């Protein structure tokens, strides 16, 4: 049984971060820690979010706690590069290699945006892919084909593809209605398993992605969102 971790309460309730393709600068940092220290790291991230200054240039953040692992993932949205550069170093400010832009969103409803919100009660997973040099466009096409296989599985909600600014990594923040739906879709469907393997066989990625399953434990907004929130 995992430790009970308090959330940010009034900051998290009813708040949502919008995920949509565009020029919004995002950060995605995955901190790998031993399981006993996971709760402490989550609490530190939440405390940092509670005391974040509204003029820091960060629009908001979401904090994820890995299921069965010690990892903690922190997703942030920034107004622009200048805001990021001027922000003071904290747990919520990702290193430059963890800066991304969202290039593709697939939502089961067909809408062009998805969201991170506690109230939605969704299961989340995050894949981080290391990219073969000069294979960025090939990877996007590969990911689109893979998404077509996954989106027809029961419980699928969305796939959100992030590309790192340095071109070395891609990340997928995926959503299903339940963890059981996810396990059934990803690990018990041969077509999906073979779809993932195609990236390695075609040398688009040098190896399998780092896959983690997460509980979304906190969402905080610091600036007025630039885009309409979606459900």
């Amino acid at each position: 049984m995992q430790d009970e971790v308090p959330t940010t309460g009034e900051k998290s309730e009813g708040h949502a971060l919008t995920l949509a393709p565009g020029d919004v600068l995002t950060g995605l940092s995955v901190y790998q820690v031993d399981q006993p220290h996971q709760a402490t790291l989550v609490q530190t991230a939440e405390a940092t979010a509670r005391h974040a200054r509204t003029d820091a240039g960060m629009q908001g953040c979401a904090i994820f706690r890995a299921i069965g692992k010690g990892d903690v993932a922190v997703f942030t949205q920034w107004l622009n590069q200048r805001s990021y550069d001027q922000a003071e170093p904290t747990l919520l400010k990702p290193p430059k290699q963890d800066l991304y832009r969202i290039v593709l969103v697939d939502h089961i409803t067909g809408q062009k945006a998805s969201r991170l919100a506690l109230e939605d009660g969704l299961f989340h997973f995050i894949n981080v892919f290391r990219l073969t040099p000069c294979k960025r466009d090939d990877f996007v096409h590969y990911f689109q084909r893979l998404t077509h296989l996954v989106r027809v599985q029961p419980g699928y909600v969305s796939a959100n593809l992030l590309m790192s600014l340095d071109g070395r990594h891609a990340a997928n923040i995926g959503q299903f209605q339940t963890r059981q739906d996810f396990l059934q879709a990803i690990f018990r469907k041969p077509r999906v398993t073979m779809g993932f393997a195609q990236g390695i066989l075609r040398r688009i990625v040098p190896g399998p992605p780092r896959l983690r399953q997460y509980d979304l434990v906190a969402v905080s907004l610091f600036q007025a969102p630039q885009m309409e929130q979606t459900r």
Side-chain angles (χ1 to χ4, degrees):
M1 181 176 179
Q2 294 193 27
D3 296 335
E4 293 295 328
V5 180
T7 62
T8 53
E10 71 279 6
K11 273 186 175 290
S12 298
E13 185 176 356
H15 285 170
L17 290 181
T18 300
L19 306 181
D23 294 331
V24 174
L25 188 67
T26 65
L28 179 63
S29 298
V30 179
Y31 299 96
Q32 301 181 56
V33 296
D34 294 334
Q35 186 71 28
H37 302 298
Q38 184 189 54
T40 300
L41 185 57
V42 169
Q43 290 171 341
T44 301
E46 291 185 297
T48 304
R50 284 196 296 270
H51 295 94
R53 298 183 305 168
T54 57
D55 63 347
M58 186 164 52
Q59 291 180 292
C61 74
I63 301 168
F64 299 86
R65 177 180 59 192
I67 299 172
K69 300 282 185 178
D71 295 20
V72 174
V74 178
F75 174 85
T76 54
Q77 291 181 324
W78 299 83
L79 292 174
N80 49 46
Q81 184 72 49
R82 180 181 178 186
S83 298
Y84 165 83
D85 291 338
Q86 293 180 343
E88 294 294 328
T90 70
L91 185 61
L92 301 185
K93 182 178 180 179
K96 290 185 177 180
Q97 66 266 25
D98 291 343
L99 290 175
Y100 293 79
R101 284 196 171 89
I102 300 173
V103 298
L104 186 151
V105 169
D106 179 86
H107 197 278
I108 191 61
T109 64
Q111 63 192 26
K112 296 182 179 180
S114 58
R115 70 183 214 160
L116 302 175
L118 288 177
E119 64 197 66
D120 292 346
L122 300 177
F123 168 80
H124 296 79
F125 68 95
I126 299 177
N127 285 329
V128 178
F129 299 83
R130 188 159 57 92
L131 301 183
T132 301
C134 302
K135 292 289 187 177
R136 180 188 183 279
D137 291 342
D138 291 336
F139 179 85
V140 173
H141 295 150
Y142 154 74
F143 185 83
Q144 289 174 319
R145 291 193 298 270
L146 185 60
T147 299
H148 287 313
L149 295 176
V150 177
R151 76 181 324 273
V152 298
Q153 306 302 323
Y156 171 85
V157 176
S158 78
N160 305 273
L161 179 61
L162 288 64
M163 300 293 295
S164 66
L165 299 190
D166 63 13
R168 297 181 179 181
H169 296 89
N172 170 34
I173 301 177
Q175 298 176 312
F176 274 79
Q177 291 289 346
T178 68
R179 186 186 183 200
Q180 187 59 38
D181 289 334
F182 164 78
L183 294 175
Q184 182 70 29
I186 301 301
F187 297 110
R188 298 170 190 169
K189 299 290 184 178
R191 288 190 64 196
V192 175
T193 303
M194 286 302 299
F196 274 99
Q198 287 301 310
I200 301 173
L201 295 175
R202 297 178 182 179
R203 298 183 180 180
I204 298 171
V205 293
R210 183 183 66 219
L211 170 63
R212 294 288 188 269
Q213 303 170 45
Y214 288 94
D215 288 323
L216 177 63
V217 296
V219 176
S220 299
L221 298 181
F222 310 122
Q223 304 279 350
Q226 293 180 330
M227 294 169 290
E228 182 181 356
Q229 294 178 359
T230 60
R231 289 184 181 272

